[in-house]
Amino acid sequence: ARQPRAAINRYFGIFSIAVAAWTASNALAVAQLRAVPTDFFPRLAFASASLIPVGFLLFSTVFPTRSPVAPKRVVLGFVVAGIAFSLTSLTHLIVQDVVPTGSALKIVYGRLHLPFAIYFVSGLGFSLFLLLKKRRVLSGFERLQVQYLFLGVLVAAIGATATNLLVPLFI
């Protein structure tokens, strides 16, 4: 609230809104609201999930400092890929169909689901790698901040990625 134009605040906002939208979309998909098509919220969940690695990567480039600097081409590549996957998620290319099966939904994945999974894992992985690089050069409180952020996001990412991306790829 103090500095809404500061990059760190904007990037954390993008990350937070993407996570919140993904969570809400998943909850609404499970609710199976009859007023909307069954594929609407699952596709919206993938669209918002596409922006999670982008928001976290951008945040990681400035938290708690800008150094060490992330390669601009890599960051730009992930931003472009995230936006492309977000828009593509609204088509049948990631979620081809959604079939209600009693109290659950069966997602039929499209041709771009595997590339999406690779993008998502590599985007979060690169962000965590960047934080590890920062941890090595920082000291004191900033190092501790990076360490806690790294561990918190790693635990959440492992759980969410395993249950939402990896298990559906193999089962």
Side-chain angles (χ1 to χ4, degrees):
R2 271 189 243 149
Q3 298 175 337
R5 296 194 190 276
I8 193 168
N9 296 337
R10 285 183 290 142
Y11 296 156
F12 186 73
I14 292 168
F15 175 62
S16 299
I17 290 168
V19 171
W22 171 73
T23 304
S25 298
N26 278 319
L28 291 168
V30 171
Q32 297 184 34
L33 303 175
R34 293 174 195 221
V36 295
T38 55
D39 62 350
F40 178 75
F41 287 115
R43 287 184 177 160
L44 193 59
F46 275 96
S48 54
S50 300
L51 300 177
I52 292 173
V54 170
F56 187 60
L57 175 58
L58 291 172
F59 178 69
S60 297
T61 63
V62 296
F63 178 82
T65 66
R66 290 190 181 269
S67 81
V69 176
K72 290 184 184 197
R73 287 184 183 185
V74 174
V75 173
L76 181 61
F78 277 114
V79 169
V80 169
I83 292 169
F85 275 116
S86 185
L87 295 172
T88 305
S89 295
L90 301 174
T91 70
H92 68 282
L93 293 172
I94 294 178
V95 174
Q96 185 173 340
D97 197 13
V98 178
V99 180
T101 58
S103 63
L105 293 176
K106 180 183 184 319
I107 307 288
V108 179
Y109 295 103
R111 291 180 283 149
L112 293 183
H113 184 260
L114 178 60
F116 169 83
I118 293 168
Y119 150 76
F120 191 90
V121 170
S122 62
L124 281 181
F126 181 74
S127 301
L128 292 170
F129 171 74
L130 180 60
L131 287 177
L132 281 179
K133 282 178 59 177
K134 287 185 176 203
R135 185 183 174 277
R136 288 187 185 126
V137 299
L138 295 172
S139 61
F141 184 67
E142 287 181 334
R143 181 181 176 143
L144 194 60
Q145 283 181 309
V146 168
Q147 185 173 321
Y148 284 134
L149 177 65
F150 176 86
L151 291 173
V153 170
L154 178 66
V155 169
I158 287 172
T161 303
T163 58
N164 291 290
L165 285 177
L166 300 179
V167 169
L169 281 174
F170 299 111
I171 296 179

